[in-house]
Amino acid sequence: MAITRLTIRHSIYAVVICMGLLSFTEFLHATPQPVDPSEILNEYEILRKQLEVSKNDVAVLNSLGILYARADRINDAILIWKHAMAIDPRYIHLYNNLGSALKSLGKTEEAFLIYKTGLAVSPSHLIHYNLALLHLDLGQHIEGVRSLQQCLALQPDFEPAVRKLRDLGHYFPQTTIPLNGNIKTYSMGYKPPVETGNLGLMPIFPGTNESSPAYGGRENSGLPRIKPGKEISIGEENPISISECINLIERFDVESESRLVALTFDDGPHPTLTTRLLDYLRTENIPATFFVLGSRAETYPHIIARISDEGHEIGNHTWNHKSLTRLSAESALAELHKTDDLITMLTGKSCKLVRPPYGHTNSSTQQLISSQGWHHIMWDADSRDWQLKDSHRIVRRVMKEFFPGCIILFHDIHSGALQSLPTLVPALKKCGYRFVTISQLAQMLNIAG
Ligand code: NI
């Protein structure tokens, strides 16, 4: 297990840190084992002394947070990890621990944000694994499977993910673990919280008594700071320049191969707006993915053919834009198959991607889609171009939710994309981002299946 920034000097904490990686998520489900409170107090004393010597040691702060969590002081643990993250946002284990802690408190939105931010900082199979558990807890089967596959793409022999995927009826071809053989019981090493609760672990560093979290929900605080000193300010309504946009994108410090972005356009085709958009994409020489309505495709078949001919991908957004969760399975499949058949007829290619109208989905809808061999596709950054009419507000909105590898949602029946892309696209290009279709994105992220 890779422990970054861990030196011999820190070896005494290695065990604690290792335990913290996974186990915080898992221990909540583990069979309670007796815990010796004096053990926690002894470790706490060691860490406290270490902090006296170097109060900004993020590895020590991380371990201290784990001790608090083990002592059933989750809120204090969260404050410690946030404090540590403010010191060094690149210490990847913090994202696992913080995300799992937030999840345990039912703060799933915040947990998602933390995991995704962690993945933007560094690809980590452990974060993918924890993200998968979160998706699965929320009944998001497809996303859960996708995260497990991403986990195994990075670490093919990671047993918990292999087992979880197998339990879900999936199989990851690269793994070398025999699926039918004896899989050893994975020892998480983590101790459950002690029953007595407060063990007298007093706050010993700034930040513990703060009531306002450093990383709030998406709506309140936007994306966390990634690079030290790269403060972000998103949400003002004044015009946004390309260079300001570049600054916002550059706050994510990622390898060039991870600089990917997928533009998606829903609800078309539209007789003039989609055509103008295709002209723009051709000028910029970038591909995109269009989730079209069958009823509109039937009306504008030449636009569907042009979308396909110019190298873009086409996805299925149903025939009449009905909410799939309110339809019977039979009606939902009829909407989707009718659209799929038309697209196949117009383009000669079967359409493997389905985006549910309004984003209305649940586990039944997801299973229905995957049962047909299709992929259920949502989005990460919503431009809200149907609602926000000013291009700079749309750009800021996208930037607020943007992260490397994200899927951005626009609608080609509104003009917002045409107005805001001339700011977004040059900024992303300047930052070395590569525009890809959804299928290309899936392939580059090594999503199997
Ligand atoms: Ni739609």
Side-chain angles (χ1 to χ4, degrees):
M1 195 171 286
I3 306 294
T4 56
R5 301 176 73 248
L6 192 70
T7 63
I8 301 294
R9 188 170 62 89
H10 287 130
S11 60
I12 190 167
Y13 309 115
V15 175
V16 180
I17 293 166
C18 283
M19 290 194 303
L21 290 179
L22 264 185
S23 42
F24 187 70
T25 301
E26 291 289 332
F27 90 94
L28 296 169
H29 312 291
T31 311
Q33 301 287 325
V35 163
D36 179 4
S38 66
E39 186 193 327
I40 290 183
L41 285 171
N42 287 341
E43 289 179 40
Y44 171 78
E45 215 30 56
I46 294 167
L47 296 175
R48 194 183 62 76
K49 284 183 180 144
Q50 183 70 22
L51 278 182
E52 279 175 9
V53 178
S54 114
K55 67 183 169 64
N56 286 341
D57 191 319
V58 175
V60 175
L61 288 167
N62 181 47
S63 302
L64 192 63
I66 293 166
L67 276 192
Y68 273 93
R70 282 173 59 191
D72 205 13
R73 296 269 296 272
I74 305 288
N75 283 311
D76 286 324
I78 287 173
L79 286 169
I80 290 173
W81 288 325
K82 284 179 176 172
H83 171 69
M85 207 178 264
I87 294 169
D88 185 359
R90 307 196 56 160
Y91 195 80
I92 200 69
H93 311 316
L94 294 168
Y95 294 88
N96 270 309
N97 291 329
L98 185 53
S100 301
L102 291 165
K103 176 185 155 183
S104 77
L105 295 177
K107 297 180 176 178
T108 52
E109 281 295 312
E110 262 192 274
F112 269 120
L113 181 63
I114 289 296
Y115 287 146
K116 287 185 172 180
T117 305
L119 287 173
V121 171
S122 172
S124 152
H125 69 285
L126 295 165
I127 298 184
H128 280 301
Y129 180 73
N130 281 329
L131 191 56
L133 296 182
L134 183 53
H135 279 304
L136 294 170
D137 280 1
L138 296 173
Q140 296 163 350
H141 179 91
I142 306 290
E143 289 85 349
V145 168
R146 169 176 149 164
S147 293
L148 289 171
Q149 288 170 332
Q150 286 172 314
C151 165
L152 289 171
L154 292 170
Q155 186 99 356
D157 294 339
F158 186 64
E159 286 189 22
V162 173
R163 295 173 65 183
K164 189 70 81 177
L165 205 53
R166 187 197 53 184
D167 292 346
L168 294 166
H170 288 258
Y171 162 70
F172 190 78
Q174 278 79 41
T175 189
T176 56
I177 296 176
L179 290 178
N180 298 320
N182 284 332
I183 295 179
K184 72 171 190 271
T185 306
Y186 201 83
S187 169
M188 293 299 172
Y190 213 108
K191 307 292 199 305
V194 291
E195 303 217 337
T196 47
N198 194 330
L199 284 173
L201 309 184
M202 299 305 291
I204 51 174
F205 61 93
T208 305
N209 292 320
E210 289 172 9
S211 57
S212 61
Y215 295 89
R218 203 172 263 241
E219 293 302 326
N220 296 329
S221 60
L223 283 167
R225 194 175 62 217
I226 302 299
K227 283 184 179 173
K230 284 264 176 186
E231 300 293 342
I232 60 167
S233 162
I234 302 179
E236 302 135 46
E237 300 196 358
N238 49 322
I240 179 167
S241 66
I242 291 176
S243 62
E244 192 181 346
C245 207
I246 289 171
N247 280 339
L248 293 172
I249 297 163
E250 284 290 295
R251 73 192 191 273
F252 295 100
D253 187 15
V254 289
E255 300 298 314
S256 56
E257 61 266 27
S258 302
R259 296 186 178 220
L260 302 170
V261 60
L263 300 179
T264 64
F265 302 97
D266 284 14
D267 297 356
H270 183 279
T272 55
L273 293 173
T274 305
T275 311
R276 284 171 57 199
L277 190 56
L278 286 168
D279 291 344
Y280 175 77
L281 296 173
R282 187 164 58 186
T283 308
E284 292 292 335
N285 194 25
I286 54 177
T289 304
F290 291 78
F291 287 91
V292 304
L293 294 177
S295 56
R296 301 189 67 91
E298 189 178 44
T299 313
Y300 306 106
H302 59 289
I303 300 180
I304 296 294
R306 182 178 165 194
I307 292 172
S308 176
D309 288 347
E310 296 190 358
H312 306 293
E313 186 163 28
I314 295 178
N316 187 338
H317 198 42
T318 74
W319 190 267
N320 275 321
H321 209 264
K322 286 181 188 156
S323 172
L324 293 176
T325 54
R326 293 180 193 165
L327 295 178
S328 66
E330 193 182 309
S331 307
L333 283 179
E335 280 266 332
L336 292 167
H337 274 294
K338 194 176 172 189
T339 307
D340 185 29
D341 291 347
L342 177 68
I343 294 167
T344 306
M345 193 185 81
L346 293 173
T347 65
K349 294 175 210 156
S350 176
C351 176
K352 294 284 181 208
L353 313 177
V354 175
R355 176 173 281 168
Y358 313 102
H360 289 177
T361 190
N362 55 32
S363 56
S364 309
T365 301
Q366 293 178 26
Q367 277 165 22
L368 193 73
I369 290 168
S370 62
S371 73
Q372 305 301 304
W374 296 327
H375 303 282
H376 178 275
I377 307 293
M378 299 293 275
W379 58 83
D380 301 306
D382 181 356
S383 67
R384 297 188 84 83
D385 51 352
W386 52 272
Q387 180 189 42
L388 306 171
K389 297 301 176 190
D390 295 323
S391 64
H392 58 266
R393 294 184 73 190
I394 294 173
V395 172
R396 286 189 189 282
R397 169 81 200 187
V398 170
M399 278 297 108
K400 195 171 172 181
E401 299 191 330
F402 174 83
F403 57 86
C406 93
I407 300 171
I408 305 178
L409 169 66
F410 288 101
H411 298 82
D412 52 332
I413 54 167
H414 299 285
S415 61
L418 280 163
Q419 292 168 31
S420 55
L421 287 177
T423 301
L424 284 167
V425 169
L428 285 160
K429 279 187 171 177
K430 187 82 180 169
C431 297
Y433 276 77
R434 189 170 159 200
F435 291 82
V436 290
T437 64
I438 295 294
S439 291
Q440 288 167 340
L441 184 70
Q443 203 177 6
M444 286 169 190
L445 293 177
N446 277 328
I447 302 168

PDB file of all heavy atoms in Angstrom, residues 39 60 88 163 193 297 300 324 339 403:
ATOM      1  N   GLU A  39      -5.376   1.988  24.748  1.00  0.00           N
ATOM      2  CA  GLU A  39      -4.599   1.909  23.518  1.00  0.00           C
ATOM      3  C   GLU A  39      -4.754   3.202  22.715  1.00  0.00           C
ATOM      4  O   GLU A  39      -3.790   3.777  22.217  1.00  0.00           O
ATOM      5  CB  GLU A  39      -5.102   0.710  22.710  1.00  0.00           C
ATOM      6  CG  GLU A  39      -4.302   0.398  21.465  1.00  0.00           C
ATOM      7  CD  GLU A  39      -5.055  -0.598  20.582  1.00  0.00           C
ATOM      8  OE1 GLU A  39      -5.777  -1.462  21.135  1.00  0.00           O
ATOM      9  OE2 GLU A  39      -4.922  -0.480  19.361  1.00  0.00           O
ATOM     10  N   VAL A  60       0.505  13.203  10.529  1.00  0.00           N
ATOM     11  CA  VAL A  60       0.150  13.071  11.946  1.00  0.00           C
ATOM     12  C   VAL A  60      -1.292  13.525  12.173  1.00  0.00           C
ATOM     13  O   VAL A  60      -2.062  12.874  12.893  1.00  0.00           O
ATOM     14  CB  VAL A  60       1.132  13.880  12.826  1.00  0.00           C
ATOM     15  CG1 VAL A  60       0.693  13.845  14.277  1.00  0.00           C
ATOM     16  CG2 VAL A  60       2.539  13.320  12.681  1.00  0.00           C
ATOM     17  N   ASP A  88      -2.418  20.862   3.401  1.00  0.00           N
ATOM     18  CA  ASP A  88      -1.908  20.179   2.217  1.00  0.00           C
ATOM     19  C   ASP A  88      -3.036  19.461   1.479  1.00  0.00           C
ATOM     20  O   ASP A  88      -3.353  18.312   1.792  1.00  0.00           O
ATOM     21  CB  ASP A  88      -0.816  19.173   2.594  1.00  0.00           C
ATOM     22  CG  ASP A  88      -0.186  18.547   1.352  1.00  0.00           C
ATOM     23  OD1 ASP A  88      -0.629  18.887   0.226  1.00  0.00           O
ATOM     24  OD2 ASP A  88       0.739  17.727   1.513  1.00  0.00           O
ATOM     25  N   ARG A 163     -14.443  -8.674  -4.844  1.00  0.00           N
ATOM     26  CA  ARG A 163     -15.540  -9.394  -4.187  1.00  0.00           C
ATOM     27  C   ARG A 163     -16.855  -8.652  -4.350  1.00  0.00           C
ATOM     28  O   ARG A 163     -17.900  -9.255  -4.621  1.00  0.00           O
ATOM     29  CB  ARG A 163     -15.213  -9.581  -2.704  1.00  0.00           C
ATOM     30  CG  ARG A 163     -14.005 -10.463  -2.489  1.00  0.00           C
ATOM     31  CD  ARG A 163     -13.580 -10.502  -1.063  1.00  0.00           C
ATOM     32  NE  ARG A 163     -14.597 -11.133  -0.219  1.00  0.00           N
ATOM     33  CZ  ARG A 163     -14.491 -11.237   1.109  1.00  0.00           C
ATOM     34  NH1 ARG A 163     -13.448 -10.746   1.719  1.00  0.00           N
ATOM     35  NH2 ARG A 163     -15.423 -11.819   1.803  1.00  0.00           N
ATOM     36  N   PRO A 193     -15.702   2.221  17.216  1.00  0.00           N
ATOM     37  CA  PRO A 193     -15.610   3.246  18.247  1.00  0.00           C
ATOM     38  C   PRO A 193     -15.733   2.626  19.633  1.00  0.00           C
ATOM     39  O   PRO A 193     -16.433   1.642  19.810  1.00  0.00           O
ATOM     40  CB  PRO A 193     -16.822   4.142  17.965  1.00  0.00           C
ATOM     41  CG  PRO A 193     -17.340   3.739  16.651  1.00  0.00           C
ATOM     42  CD  PRO A 193     -16.831   2.386  16.333  1.00  0.00           C
ATOM     43  N   ALA A 297     -35.698  13.745 -33.790  1.00  0.00           N
ATOM     44  CA  ALA A 297     -34.838  13.126 -34.800  1.00  0.00           C
ATOM     45  C   ALA A 297     -35.647  12.747 -36.035  1.00  0.00           C
ATOM     46  O   ALA A 297     -35.179  12.852 -37.173  1.00  0.00           O
ATOM     47  CB  ALA A 297     -34.160  11.890 -34.216  1.00  0.00           C
ATOM     48  N   TYR A 300     -36.063  15.960 -37.967  1.00  0.00           N
ATOM     49  CA  TYR A 300     -34.835  16.519 -38.564  1.00  0.00           C
ATOM     50  C   TYR A 300     -33.803  15.424 -38.810  1.00  0.00           C
ATOM     51  O   TYR A 300     -32.695  15.468 -38.261  1.00  0.00           O
ATOM     52  CB  TYR A 300     -34.253  17.602 -37.642  1.00  0.00           C
ATOM     53  CG  TYR A 300     -35.250  18.674 -37.278  1.00  0.00           C
ATOM     54  CD1 TYR A 300     -35.811  18.720 -36.007  1.00  0.00           C
ATOM     55  CD2 TYR A 300     -35.641  19.631 -38.220  1.00  0.00           C
ATOM     56  CE1 TYR A 300     -36.743  19.692 -35.679  1.00  0.00           C
ATOM     57  CE2 TYR A 300     -36.574  20.603 -37.897  1.00  0.00           C
ATOM     58  CZ  TYR A 300     -37.119  20.625 -36.621  1.00  0.00           C
ATOM     59  OH  TYR A 300     -38.040  21.582 -36.307  1.00  0.00           O
ATOM     60  N   LEU A 324     -38.749   8.565 -17.171  1.00  0.00           N
ATOM     61  CA  LEU A 324     -38.763   7.098 -17.207  1.00  0.00           C
ATOM     62  C   LEU A 324     -39.231   6.493 -15.891  1.00  0.00           C
ATOM     63  O   LEU A 324     -39.800   5.404 -15.861  1.00  0.00           O
ATOM     64  CB  LEU A 324     -37.369   6.561 -17.555  1.00  0.00           C
ATOM     65  CG  LEU A 324     -36.865   6.858 -18.975  1.00  0.00           C
ATOM     66  CD1 LEU A 324     -35.443   6.356 -19.152  1.00  0.00           C
ATOM     67  CD2 LEU A 324     -37.785   6.240 -20.023  1.00  0.00           C
ATOM     68  N   THR A 339     -36.667   5.015 -30.296  1.00  0.00           N
ATOM     69  CA  THR A 339     -35.619   6.008 -30.565  1.00  0.00           C
ATOM     70  C   THR A 339     -34.351   5.332 -31.079  1.00  0.00           C
ATOM     71  O   THR A 339     -33.734   5.782 -32.058  1.00  0.00           O
ATOM     72  CB  THR A 339     -35.317   6.813 -29.279  1.00  0.00           C
ATOM     73  OG1 THR A 339     -36.539   7.339 -28.777  1.00  0.00           O
ATOM     74  CG2 THR A 339     -34.332   7.937 -29.547  1.00  0.00           C
ATOM     75  N   PHE A 403     -14.625  19.446 -12.938  1.00  0.00           N
ATOM     76  CA  PHE A 403     -13.397  18.787 -12.476  1.00  0.00           C
ATOM     77  C   PHE A 403     -12.844  17.991 -13.644  1.00  0.00           C
ATOM     78  O   PHE A 403     -13.574  17.703 -14.605  1.00  0.00           O
ATOM     79  CB  PHE A 403     -13.663  17.894 -11.250  1.00  0.00           C
ATOM     80  CG  PHE A 403     -14.698  16.837 -11.464  1.00  0.00           C
ATOM     81  CD1 PHE A 403     -14.357  15.600 -12.006  1.00  0.00           C
ATOM     82  CD2 PHE A 403     -16.023  17.077 -11.153  1.00  0.00           C
ATOM     83  CE1 PHE A 403     -15.318  14.624 -12.211  1.00  0.00           C
ATOM     84  CE2 PHE A 403     -16.990  16.105 -11.355  1.00  0.00           C
ATOM     85  CZ  PHE A 403     -16.631  14.874 -11.884  1.00  0.00           C
TER      86      PHE A 403
END
